Amino acid sequence: MGARALRVALSGVTATWRRARLAKVALGKYIILLACLLHLGWAVLLLADSGATAATGVHTLSIVCGGPFRTSFVLVCVALAAIAFPFLRERVSNKALAGMLIPQQLMLLISAGGALAAVFNHHYADGVMRTSTFILTDQLPLILLAFLYTVAVLEAAFSAE
Amino acid sequence: MTSSSLIALGAFGVAVLTFIATQIAARRAGIESESDRKIRRLEKDVADCEEAKMRVERRNIDLADENLSLLRRVVNPDADHER
């Protein structure tokens, strides 16, 4: 009985959420824009100072890509591909959609994974030790951005017109 | 295997799952190419036009009803009092 009531309440909440609109324009593009600006900002900062690779969000990316300059290059490429997407939405196929957005999603997921690893290891990527709640509070925006970006990609694919 | 490799592998797995989900969505919606998209957009436009046409027709009927009642009132002004 309780489980059924909970399920009904949850379905009500999800239905309300699906109908909810803040504006006439779709908001998924702002999530993509935020990710692009973040990645372009990181790329510039990595070029300015390679010591920035010790930052938790960038550290794992730097290891995977192989250094600050390659990481900058990859970040600029994925950000430009993703920012082009809203302008080409009407003209590209679903495979192109995946090709434009999923590389950036991969970068965000790697950053979020690095942040989660820092939470579980109780220290930032540069070795500064803190409690896991402290690190989680600090890194939560990055983790949530990766999650919301995934939702935005799926929404773009499922609400295709 | 280092933690970075594990993270990258996990992220890659999620990205692959997202890719599969986007392709399933495309199949389900019947969208494979640009021409499919155009056809769907045109179909939506046609549906919007039909809806607008229905709205205009309904409005016309309402106006006709209103005209008729006004005409009745002009022809027989006492009818409302009788009712």
Side-chain angles (χ1 to χ4, degrees):
Chain A
M1 187 67 185
R4 190 160 176 264
L6 186 68
R7 214 177 309 137
V8 169
L10 271 179
S11 67
V13 169
T14 49
T16 312
W17 176 257
R18 242 178 273 136
R19 279 197 306 271
R21 283 181 77 92
L22 290 181
K24 280 182 181 170
V25 292
L27 295 174
K29 66 182 178 186
Y30 291 103
I31 296 173
I32 294 170
L33 182 66
L34 172 63
C36 290
L37 292 177
L38 179 76
H39 281 162
L40 289 175
W42 278 354
V44 170
L45 291 169
L46 283 173
L47 287 177
D49 178 13
S50 55
T53 50
T56 305
V58 189
H59 184 69
T60 316
L61 275 180
S62 170
I63 293 172
V64 171
C65 297
F69 299 111
R70 284 180 189 171
T71 311
S72 292
F73 179 72
V74 171
L75 286 176
V76 168
C77 288
V78 297
L80 291 181
I83 201 68
F85 166 72
F87 302 101
L88 303 172
R89 180 72 186 98
E90 300 295 320
R91 273 172 277 167
V92 296
S93 67
N94 250 53
K95 281 205 173 61
L97 175 153
M100 290 170 95
L101 293 183
I102 289 180
Q104 182 161 57
Q105 186 205 1
L106 181 65
M107 296 294 120
L108 285 171
L109 286 169
I110 291 172
S111 294
L116 281 174
V119 170
F120 286 113
N121 294 332
H122 305 284
H123 66 77
Y124 284 103
D126 61 350
V128 174
M129 293 188 77
R130 298 282 179 195
T131 59
S132 54
T133 47
F134 182 98
I135 301 173
L136 184 61
T137 309
D138 188 37
Q139 299 295 318
L140 202 55
L142 207 53
I143 297 165
L144 290 179
L145 179 61
F147 171 71
L148 285 178
Y149 195 92
T150 306
V151 173
V153 172
L154 290 175
E155 195 181 23
F158 276 84
S159 63
E161 283 178 0
Chain B
M1 193 178 259
T2 62
S3 64
S4 302
S5 316
L6 272 176
I7 291 165
L9 208 62
F12 188 73
V14 176
V16 168
L17 285 178
T18 313
F19 176 78
I20 293 167
T22 56
Q23 300 316 303
I24 289 172
R27 285 271 165 79
R28 197 181 286 176
I31 298 169
E32 292 298 330
S33 63
E34 187 190 334
S35 54
D36 286 342
R37 248 178 240 291
K38 275 183 187 159
I39 289 166
R40 283 175 69 84
R41 267 207 307 279
L42 287 172
E43 280 172 355
K44 197 173 165 240
D45 287 347
V46 169
D48 287 346
C49 287
E50 290 282 345
E51 203 186 315
K53 192 180 149 199
M54 292 291 284
R55 265 206 308 274
V56 169
E57 277 175 5
R58 271 200 300 272
R59 179 76 184 133
N60 276 346
I61 290 168
D62 289 347
L63 285 172
D65 281 348
E66 212 172 301
N67 277 346
L68 196 63
S69 65
L70 282 172
L71 208 60
R72 273 188 189 140
R73 213 179 288 173
V74 170
V75 172
N76 188 5
D78 299 329
D80 284 343
H81 298 296
E82 284 167 13
R83 270 179 216 160

